[in-house]
Amino acid sequence: MALVCAPLVVTTVEEMERDMAKAKSLGADLVEIRLDFLHHFQPDIDLPRLISNRPLPVLVTFRPNWEGGQYQGDDSTRFSALRSAIELGAEYVDIELKVAEKFISTISEERPDNFKLIVSSHNYESTPSCEELSELVARIQAVGADIVKIATTAVDICDAARMIQVMVHCHAPMIGLVMSERGLMSRILSPKFGGYLTFGKLDAEKESAPGQPTITELLDIYNIRQIRADTKVLGLVAKPVKQSKSPILHNKCFKAVGFNGVYLPLLADDLAKFLDTYLSPDFTGFSCSLPHKVIAVGCCDEVDPIARSIGAVNTLIRRPADGKLVGYNTDYVGAISAIEDGIKGSSAKGDVVSPLAGRLIVVVGAGGAGKAVAYGAKEKGARVVVANRTYERAVSLANSVGGQALRLAELATFHPEEGMILANATSLGMYPNVDGTPIPKEALRFYNLVFDAVYAPKVTRLLREAQECGVTIVSGVEMFVRQAMGQFEHFTGMNAPESLMREIAMKYT
């Protein structure tokens, strides 16, 4: 089990003492005292105070600016402080590989029984090859490290795979982390692949390196204490991905039903490259979102007939029997059932085959979500109009469902009949660009119902303006929950806990 370490990156001893107590209350295993962040640091006074009063084991670091830290002085002052930390009983001290040999020569060969020396190397530009990382591990071990620490930077999410591979084969205790949002999986999966510890910041503002999750996220969302070597890895492959609530939803549901899996946000630039890199049976399934849903069809070994008809995949499953990647689409059921229930709720009509039958639905967007909504609406007997910024893509999708194509700008005056339905299947209005909307407010009066696939924020500008015009609205939260239920069942082989999913979605969206 990897330890969870909270870096303390405040500027006064008093703040560090408060943050140590906070780290303990949040569930951290140890704290990293970053001496280089302290203003007016007085080693003879501050170190005894911090170490003697520690509520948790401490890792003491005094990082110089040439290795990404704040300290700008000479090594002799730094070395003296780190030696004092060892003498005062610090459980760990971190020293940079570049000066490790020099530092080690100044400390006693007889180290305290409870003390471990971490020798570290940081690369803030890239992640080297597996061969170079392995050579770096050997160099760190050779200078006398008790624990190897290597932190690199992910330019692409596939960079994390190299760190994982080296960590798995390292015979010494190792901290292997890949910085930036694209390297997040290396931090969360540390216990799965044999990492000694991972860092979790106290809150959003207090990170010591790019891409650190919070302690609360590690413990309460990713359930890092339950991650083992046999834990299945799943996740949302998207760009952007930070705004998604899928990791919260799936991880809380996995924990509730006792499923041994962890669901990650996976910021991928190239879906095919990502899937070619993470071929291991450990990676058992993925959700697929913008901008990868259409490309995903061609990345699968097999595609469910409905997903192939739609031309978009939002769920990828690695079949255990043969390792083949199978693509499904749960978006269309999620969106269409939400729209149908919205129509039923706003109408006094009795049950019919589908309340969409014979209705005119305007689908905004011709990407993966737009394809799913258009396909589902056609299957339910609706007449489909597709509006898209790129008109040629609107024409292509409209032709595939026997519908009509519009340019996005034409929505302002499109009003062939009363009682139309509008479905936004673009990212317009999604956090952080919450002022976006696909259609002028004045044109919303032409519609009886407006559906928005965007669920972050829960009430988008489009929905707010539709509501102000007296139009029935259906939030993207409905589609989010319903498509997630289908994915959960593909991921786990269990029935989705619908009531729990709704509760989580309402709380976090």
Side-chain angles (χ1 to χ4, degrees), residues 42-96:
Q42 298 175 282
D44 294 344
I45 299 170
D46 297 339
L47 271 174
R49 180 174 168 182
L50 287 168
I51 294 175
S52 64
N53 295 330
R54 66 191 187 278
L56 290 170
V58 294
L59 156 58
V60 179
T61 301
F62 203 169
R63 189 80 69 221
N65 58 350
W66 48 260
E67 187 90 359
Q70 305 287 311
Y71 178 69
Q72 298 184 32
D74 59 47
D75 278 343
S76 61
T77 303
R78 214 161 59 86
F79 287 3
S80 175
L82 292 174
R83 282 196 303 272
S84 295
I86 297 171
E87 290 163 8
L88 288 163
E91 286 79 8
Y92 306 89
V93 158
D94 178 313
I95 189 71
E96 303 75 27

Side-chain angles (χ1 to χ4, degrees), residues 212-232:
Q212 284 175 354
T214 65
I215 296 172
T216 301
E217 287 168 343
L218 286 173
L219 297 178
D220 297 346
I221 294 177
Y222 300 112
N223 305 314
I224 197 167
R225 301 283 192 221
Q226 280 72 51
I227 296 177
R228 311 186 299 263
D230 62 346
T231 297
K232 295 175 172 63

Side-chain angles (χ1 to χ4, degrees), residues 141-327:
Q141 285 182 274
V143 299
D146 296 311
I147 299 169
V148 174
K149 180 189 174 189
I150 300 175
T152 63
T153 299
V155 178
D156 185 278
I157 194 169
C158 298
D159 295 346
R162 298 196 289 281
M163 184 65 78
I164 289 169
Q165 186 176 338
V166 170
M167 196 155 59
V168 165
H169 292 100
C170 183
H171 298 298
M174 181 175 174
I175 303 163
L177 303 170
V178 185
M179 298 179 282
S180 87
E181 188 183 354
R182 288 173 172 81
L184 178 65
M185 75 158 73
S186 70
R187 298 180 179 278
I188 298 169
L189 297 180
S190 182
K192 177 174 174 64
F193 295 115
Y196 186 83
L197 67 76
T198 192
F199 292 90
K201 58 191 176 184
L202 291 175
D203 54 53
E205 288 74 43
K206 291 183 177 176
E207 71 179 14
S208 60
Q212 284 175 354
T214 65
I215 296 172
T216 301
E217 287 168 343
L218 286 173
L219 297 178
D220 297 346
I221 294 177
Y222 300 112
N223 305 314
I224 197 167
R225 301 283 192 221
Q226 280 72 51
I227 296 177
R228 311 186 299 263
D230 62 346
T231 297
K232 295 175 172 63
V233 182
L234 306 101
L236 172 63
V237 188
K239 182 184 178 183
V241 73
K242 193 183 288 186
Q243 81 293 338
S244 176
K245 306 303 179 189
S246 291
I248 298 174
L249 185 75
H250 284 292
N251 284 315
K252 286 190 176 294
C253 290
F254 288 171
K255 186 175 182 180
V257 302
F259 177 72
N260 182 21
V262 60
Y263 185 102
L264 309 175
L266 301 165
L267 178 59
D269 301 280
D270 182 327
L271 178 65
K273 182 181 176 185
F274 170 84
L275 294 171
D276 285 343
T277 301
Y278 296 100
L279 287 168
S280 155
D282 290 309
F283 295 83
T284 60
F286 305 105
S287 307
C288 198
S289 193
L290 286 167
H292 303 307
K293 291 181 182 182
V294 176
I295 297 164
V297 177
C299 296
C300 297
D301 298 304
E302 294 178 20
V303 180
D304 177 75
I306 292 174
R308 188 170 293 285
S309 296
I310 293 168
V313 159
N314 80 322
T315 309
L316 296 161
I317 301 296
R318 195 172 302 286
R319 194 162 54 201
D322 54 13
K324 289 189 181 298
L325 206 60
V326 185

Side-chain angles (χ1 to χ4, degrees), residues 98 235 505:
K98 186 176 175 181

